[in-house]
Short mmCIF file of all heavy atoms in Angstrom, two decimals:
data_model
loop_
_atom_site.label_atom_id
_atom_site.label_comp_id
_atom_site.label_asym_id
_atom_site.label_seq_id
_atom_site.Cartn_x
_atom_site.Cartn_y
_atom_site.Cartn_z
N GLU A 1309 -78.60 19.59 15.11
CA GLU A 1309 -77.79 18.99 14.07
C GLU A 1309 -77.98 19.63 12.68
O GLU A 1309 -77.03 19.82 11.98
CB GLU A 1309 -78.14 17.46 14.05
CG GLU A 1309 -77.69 16.62 12.93
CD GLU A 1309 -78.70 15.44 12.58
OE1 GLU A 1309 -79.52 15.20 13.50
OE2 GLU A 1309 -78.65 15.05 11.51
N LEU A 1310 -79.24 20.01 12.41
CA LEU A 1310 -79.52 20.67 11.12
C LEU A 1310 -79.20 22.16 11.16
O LEU A 1310 -79.31 22.89 10.09
CB LEU A 1310 -80.95 20.38 10.65
CG LEU A 1310 -81.33 18.93 10.41
CD1 LEU A 1310 -82.82 18.78 10.23
CD2 LEU A 1310 -80.58 18.37 9.22
N GLY A 1311 -79.02 22.67 12.35
CA GLY A 1311 -78.78 24.09 12.44
C GLY A 1311 -79.96 24.97 12.19
O GLY A 1311 -79.82 26.07 11.67
N VAL A 1312 -81.20 24.48 12.53
CA VAL A 1312 -82.39 25.25 12.30
C VAL A 1312 -83.14 25.60 13.53
O VAL A 1312 -83.08 24.81 14.52
CB VAL A 1312 -83.31 24.51 11.31
CG1 VAL A 1312 -82.65 24.28 9.92
CG2 VAL A 1312 -83.75 23.11 11.85
N GLU A 1313 -84.01 26.65 13.50
CA GLU A 1313 -84.80 27.05 14.67
C GLU A 1313 -86.10 26.33 14.39
O GLU A 1313 -86.64 26.31 13.25
CB GLU A 1313 -84.93 28.49 14.72
CG GLU A 1313 -85.64 29.05 16.02
CD GLU A 1313 -87.14 28.95 15.87
OE1 GLU A 1313 -87.72 29.21 14.78
OE2 GLU A 1313 -87.81 28.58 16.84
N GLU A 1314 -86.72 25.69 15.49
CA GLU A 1314 -87.86 24.83 15.35
C GLU A 1314 -89.01 25.46 14.60
O GLU A 1314 -89.42 24.88 13.56
CB GLU A 1314 -88.24 24.30 16.73
CG GLU A 1314 -89.50 23.46 16.76
CD GLU A 1314 -89.76 22.98 18.19
OE1 GLU A 1314 -89.07 23.27 19.13
OE2 GLU A 1314 -90.77 22.17 18.33
N ASN A 1315 -89.48 26.59 15.12
CA ASN A 1315 -90.86 27.10 14.53
C ASN A 1315 -90.64 27.63 13.11
O ASN A 1315 -91.48 27.41 12.22
CB ASN A 1315 -91.41 28.09 15.42
CG ASN A 1315 -91.96 27.41 16.67
OD1 ASN A 1315 -92.44 26.33 16.65
ND2 ASN A 1315 -91.72 28.03 17.86
N SER A 1316 -89.55 28.31 12.85
CA SER A 1316 -89.39 28.82 11.50
C SER A 1316 -89.03 27.74 10.42
O SER A 1316 -89.58 27.80 9.33
CB SER A 1316 -88.25 29.88 11.43
OG SER A 1316 -87.08 29.43 12.07
N PHE A 1317 -88.41 26.69 10.90
CA PHE A 1317 -88.13 25.58 9.96
C PHE A 1317 -89.45 24.81 9.75
O PHE A 1317 -89.67 24.43 8.59
CB PHE A 1317 -87.11 24.64 10.53
CG PHE A 1317 -86.60 23.60 9.60
CD1 PHE A 1317 -86.06 24.00 8.33
CD2 PHE A 1317 -86.71 22.24 9.88
CE1 PHE A 1317 -85.60 23.03 7.45
CE2 PHE A 1317 -86.22 21.28 8.96
CZ PHE A 1317 -85.71 21.64 7.71
N LEU A 1318 -90.30 24.58 10.78
CA LEU A 1318 -91.58 23.95 10.53
C LEU A 1318 -92.44 24.79 9.54
O LEU A 1318 -93.14 24.26 8.66
CB LEU A 1318 -92.26 23.83 11.86
CG LEU A 1318 -91.81 22.69 12.82
CD1 LEU A 1318 -92.52 22.79 14.15
CD2 LEU A 1318 -92.05 21.34 12.18
N ALA A 1319 -92.41 26.12 9.71
CA ALA A 1319 -93.21 27.01 8.77
C ALA A 1319 -92.62 26.84 7.34
O ALA A 1319 -93.42 26.82 6.43
CB ALA A 1319 -93.17 28.38 9.33
N PHE A 1320 -91.29 26.73 7.27
CA PHE A 1320 -90.69 26.57 5.95
C PHE A 1320 -91.21 25.29 5.27
O PHE A 1320 -91.53 25.17 4.14
CB PHE A 1320 -89.19 26.64 6.03
CG PHE A 1320 -88.46 26.36 4.73
CD1 PHE A 1320 -88.53 27.27 3.69
CD2 PHE A 1320 -87.75 25.18 4.63
CE1 PHE A 1320 -87.83 27.00 2.50
CE2 PHE A 1320 -87.09 24.90 3.45
CZ PHE A 1320 -87.13 25.86 2.41
N LEU A 1321 -91.22 24.17 6.08
CA LEU A 1321 -91.65 22.85 5.52
C LEU A 1321 -93.14 22.91 5.08
O LEU A 1321 -93.46 22.45 4.07
CB LEU A 1321 -91.48 21.75 6.68
CG LEU A 1321 -90.04 21.43 7.01
CD1 LEU A 1321 -89.98 20.47 8.10
CD2 LEU A 1321 -89.24 20.81 5.79
N ARG A 1322 -93.91 23.70 5.83
CA ARG A 1322 -95.32 23.75 5.43
C ARG A 1322 -95.42 24.53 4.19
O ARG A 1322 -96.19 24.21 3.28
CB ARG A 1322 -96.13 24.51 6.48
CG ARG A 1322 -96.47 23.59 7.70
CD ARG A 1322 -97.55 24.35 8.63
NE ARG A 1322 -97.12 25.46 9.25
CZ ARG A 1322 -96.46 25.50 10.44
NH1 ARG A 1322 -96.25 24.33 11.06
NH2 ARG A 1322 -96.06 26.60 10.97
N THR A 1323 -94.58 25.55 3.87
CA THR A 1323 -94.55 26.33 2.66
C THR A 1323 -94.09 25.39 1.52
O THR A 1323 -94.66 25.37 0.40
CB THR A 1323 -93.52 27.46 2.80
OG1 THR A 1323 -94.01 28.30 3.78
CG2 THR A 1323 -93.40 28.24 1.53
N ALA A 1324 -93.06 24.58 1.75
CA ALA A 1324 -92.46 23.76 0.68
C ALA A 1324 -93.51 22.72 0.21
O ALA A 1324 -93.49 22.33 -0.94
CB ALA A 1324 -91.31 23.06 1.31
N PHE A 1325 -94.37 22.22 1.14
CA PHE A 1325 -95.38 21.22 0.77
C PHE A 1325 -96.76 21.80 0.58
O PHE A 1325 -97.70 21.05 0.49
CB PHE A 1325 -95.51 20.10 1.91
CG PHE A 1325 -94.34 19.15 1.96
CD1 PHE A 1325 -93.32 19.32 2.85
CD2 PHE A 1325 -94.33 18.09 1.18
CE1 PHE A 1325 -92.28 18.44 2.85
CE2 PHE A 1325 -93.34 17.10 1.17
CZ PHE A 1325 -92.25 17.29 2.08
N ALA A 1326 -96.83 23.15 0.40
CA ALA A 1326 -98.16 23.77 0.34
C ALA A 1326 -99.08 23.15 -0.59
O ALA A 1326 -100.25 22.86 -0.32
CB ALA A 1326 -98.01 25.31 0.22
N GLN A 1327 -98.62 23.01 -1.83
CA GLN A 1327 -99.45 22.41 -2.89
C GLN A 1327 -98.76 21.16 -3.55
O GLN A 1327 -97.74 21.42 -4.12
CB GLN A 1327 -99.75 23.47 -3.88
CG GLN A 1327 -100.61 24.49 -3.38
CD GLN A 1327 -101.73 24.97 -4.40
OE1 GLN A 1327 -102.16 24.24 -5.20
NE2 GLN A 1327 -101.98 26.27 -4.35
N LYS A 1328 -99.33 20.00 -3.32
CA LYS A 1328 -98.69 18.78 -3.75
C LYS A 1328 -98.35 18.74 -5.25
O LYS A 1328 -97.33 18.27 -5.62
CB LYS A 1328 -99.72 17.65 -3.40
CG LYS A 1328 -98.91 16.37 -3.04
CD LYS A 1328 -99.88 15.34 -2.58
CE LYS A 1328 -99.27 13.95 -2.62
NZ LYS A 1328 -98.01 13.77 -1.75
N ARG A 1329 -99.20 19.35 -6.08
CA ARG A 1329 -98.99 19.24 -7.50
C ARG A 1329 -97.83 20.17 -8.00
O ARG A 1329 -97.34 20.06 -9.13
CB ARG A 1329 -100.26 19.37 -8.32
CG ARG A 1329 -101.09 18.27 -8.14
CD ARG A 1329 -102.05 18.09 -9.35
NE ARG A 1329 -103.24 17.39 -8.99
CZ ARG A 1329 -104.36 17.89 -8.67
NH1 ARG A 1329 -104.47 19.27 -8.73
NH2 ARG A 1329 -105.38 17.24 -8.29
N LYS A 1330 -97.51 21.15 -7.17
CA LYS A 1330 -96.57 22.16 -7.58
C LYS A 1330 -95.15 21.79 -7.35
O LYS A 1330 -94.91 21.04 -6.45
CB LYS A 1330 -96.86 23.53 -6.85
CG LYS A 1330 -98.06 24.26 -7.40
CD LYS A 1330 -98.13 25.64 -6.74
CE LYS A 1330 -99.26 26.44 -7.37
NZ LYS A 1330 -99.38 27.77 -6.64
N THR A 1331 -94.21 22.33 -8.13
CA THR A 1331 -92.81 22.06 -7.77
C THR A 1331 -92.44 22.88 -6.56
O THR A 1331 -93.23 23.81 -6.17
CB THR A 1331 -91.88 22.61 -9.01
OG1 THR A 1331 -92.08 24.06 -9.11
CG2 THR A 1331 -92.16 21.89 -10.24
N LEU A 1332 -91.35 22.55 -6.04
CA LEU A 1332 -90.92 23.22 -4.83
C LEU A 1332 -90.69 24.69 -5.08
O LEU A 1332 -91.13 25.55 -4.36
CB LEU A 1332 -89.58 22.59 -4.39
CG LEU A 1332 -88.77 23.11 -3.22
CD1 LEU A 1332 -89.62 23.13 -1.97
CD2 LEU A 1332 -87.55 22.23 -2.97
N ALA A 1333 -90.11 24.99 -6.29
CA ALA A 1333 -89.82 26.40 -6.70
C ALA A 1333 -91.24 27.17 -6.76
O ALA A 1333 -91.26 28.32 -6.25
CB ALA A 1333 -89.15 26.44 -7.93
N ASN A 1334 -92.17 26.56 -7.29
CA ASN A 1334 -93.57 27.25 -7.38
C ASN A 1334 -94.17 27.48 -6.06
O ASN A 1334 -94.68 28.53 -5.79
CB ASN A 1334 -94.44 26.44 -8.31
CG ASN A 1334 -94.15 26.75 -9.79
OD1 ASN A 1334 -93.49 27.74 -10.13
ND2 ASN A 1334 -94.56 25.81 -10.65
N ASN A 1335 -93.96 26.48 -5.17
CA ASN A 1335 -94.51 26.69 -3.80
C ASN A 1335 -93.80 27.80 -3.05
O ASN A 1335 -94.40 28.69 -2.37
CB ASN A 1335 -94.44 25.41 -2.99
CG ASN A 1335 -95.55 24.42 -3.25
OD1 ASN A 1335 -96.68 24.95 -3.50
ND2 ASN A 1335 -95.38 23.17 -3.13
N LEU A 1336 -92.44 27.85 -3.33
CA LEU A 1336 -91.69 28.98 -2.67
C LEU A 1336 -92.08 30.35 -3.25
O LEU A 1336 -92.20 31.33 -2.50
CB LEU A 1336 -90.22 28.71 -2.76
CG LEU A 1336 -89.71 27.50 -2.05
CD1 LEU A 1336 -88.30 27.23 -2.33
CD2 LEU A 1336 -89.88 27.67 -0.55
N ARG A 1337 -92.33 30.38 -4.55
CA ARG A 1337 -92.70 31.58 -5.22
C ARG A 1337 -94.04 32.17 -4.70
O ARG A 1337 -94.22 33.26 -4.40
CB ARG A 1337 -92.83 31.38 -6.76
CG ARG A 1337 -91.84 32.37 -7.53
CD ARG A 1337 -92.07 32.23 -9.03
NE ARG A 1337 -92.02 30.89 -9.51
CZ ARG A 1337 -90.92 30.27 -9.87
NH1 ARG A 1337 -89.73 30.87 -9.72
NH2 ARG A 1337 -90.93 29.02 -10.31
N ALA A 1338 -94.92 31.07 -4.55
CA ALA A 1338 -96.31 31.49 -4.07
C ALA A 1338 -96.18 32.06 -2.63
O ALA A 1338 -97.08 32.78 -2.22
CB ALA A 1338 -97.22 30.20 -4.08
N ALA A 1339 -95.11 31.71 -1.93
CA ALA A 1339 -94.94 32.19 -0.57
C ALA A 1339 -94.24 33.55 -0.57
O ALA A 1339 -94.05 34.09 0.62
CB ALA A 1339 -94.32 31.13 0.30
N GLY A 1340 -93.84 34.03 -1.69
CA GLY A 1340 -93.30 35.40 -1.76
C GLY A 1340 -91.80 35.52 -2.03
O GLY A 1340 -91.26 36.56 -2.09
#
Side-chain angles (χ1 to χ4, degrees):
E1309 167 209 340
L1310 296 171
V1312 296
E1313 190 279 321
E1314 180 173 358
N1315 289 323
S1316 50
F1317 191 57
L1318 285 171
F1320 175 69
L1321 292 174
R1322 283 194 292 274
T1323 299
F1325 283 99
Q1327 291 221 32
K1328 211 172 161 63
R1329 287 206 204 99
K1330 286 190 174 175
T1331 62
L1332 178 57
N1334 279 341
N1335 275 329
L1336 294 173
R1337 237 186 312 275

